[in-house]
Amino acid sequence: MPWSPQWDFAGSVAASLATGDRLPTSVRPSACPGLLRIVPALDGGICRVKLPGGMLRSAQAQAIAEAARQHASGVLELTNRSNLQIRGVLPGQESTLIDALLGAELGPRVAAADDVRNLMLSPAAGLDPQARMDVRPLASQLLDLLQDTPVLHALSPKFALQLDGGEALAMREHPHDLWLTAEDDQYLLLGLAGCPFDAPLARVEATHTVTLVRELLLLFLELAIPEQSRMRQLLAQIPASELLQRLQTRLDFPLHPAPANWQTAATINRSPAGIYPQAQSGLCMVAAGAQLGRLHAEQLLTLADLSERLGDGELRLTPWQGVLLGNVPESASRELMAALGELGLLTHIDEPLLGLVACTGSAACARGLADSKHHALHLAELLRESGARPQVHLSACPRSCASARVQPYTLLASTPDHYQLYQRTPEAPGFGRLLAPAMTIDEAGVWFARQHPAGTPDA
């Protein structure tokens, strides 16, 4: 059977919610949406469903789609942490929506654990032929640790872990507070916020991983002051080497030095789309992007049906705001690709929208200066005409909600119709080097066409 954590919702969740924990603001003070905390936006409430390893069973997908149609706008967003958001939750429908999601086993075991279930895997975990280790069993143990250790519920809703098995279909530019990558099938390498994947800090046996993570998270909570909610903030005060020394005193096994000649696994540099080989004979993976990270409930219902007919009954959401179906018979792969294309998903690797990321913008966010979603669609039309295929993040404000990593190019809104253009460079912090202080989307289209003519590698 496909891997999936099994949670007992009939007991502890029901008991927790019966005490009033279901109210949107009662779980913990935060502006981040959750399943139990629906936050307002211009287009209605936002409910964020955290998925274990990005996995969504077909029955759960159907439940989300039906709930979104009945209690919200029907618009769904795929996030850059492989989670899913329901947008446009209707006034007075919050509790009914939450009940429907909990009934589909989409919530935490206890209400206070909803925020901390932040563990990202490759969508191809357990399937990718390049992987050094199948990390799914370990991921299940780490999710249990986060849920079942009450003191860890004090972690920030933004505090996140990443577990990398060496897959080719992996997002390694996404900054995480703590990450682990497989050296082989016996050992994992440890890194912390700001530490690149090719420069891990320590090496540990896989059998000791859960203890290592527990003690490291407890140590973080002991050392961090309230203003230090993320690992990078603590590391600004305490060097990583000192933090590891303190960690070692809490462990009854050694932290070994990371190999000096370590090279991270090769990875894709663009949002996946198409048919990919699978480790299991006769099977393959099929990936597609959602247009600017959005689906409608009807599309999700069809995806659930396709996963049952042509896959293994599961959808794997990706950190590129797309979806991957695994365990697809090779004989059915082209049929599935055609069906995804007819559904409106992005199935061709040359599609310019696969290189564009855009936040909700002024149409749905009070902080947004420009309608970034609309502008991204227009920019995609210009790129189709020119043949340029840059990777661009359109952000309606400096918060950069839509992209956790810095894209090669950023268009940052300065007025409703103008953007600043930045290019990522190793020397410049933030979005990178400012190339143009103000340009319209039409001007941006001309600039990208000139800098990236058809046939040249994208950036």
Side-chain angles (χ1 to χ4, degrees), residues 272-275 285-291 295 299-300 302-307 309-310 315 322-326 328 332-348:
I275 301 170
M285 302 176 287
V286 177
Q291 184 171 283
L295 294 173
Q299 290 175 297
L300 186 59
T302 302
L303 279 170
D305 177 67
L306 289 172
S307 74
R309 290 197 297 109
L310 302 175
L315 301 172
V323 63
L324 182 143
L325 281 74
V328 177
S333 60
R334 295 194 179 278
E335 178 187 353
L336 178 55
M337 280 288 292
L340 294 176
E342 292 174 2
L343 190 57
L345 272 68
L346 311 176
T347 58
H348 298 287

Side-chain angles (χ1 to χ4, degrees), residues 67-88:
R69 289 199 302 186
Q70 295 181 32
H71 310 299
S73 65
V75 174
L76 305 167
E77 285 183 332
L78 312 185
T79 77
N80 54 42
R81 286 185 177 173
S82 303
N83 292 317
L84 185 146
Q85 293 184 163
I86 300 172
R87 295 200 67 95

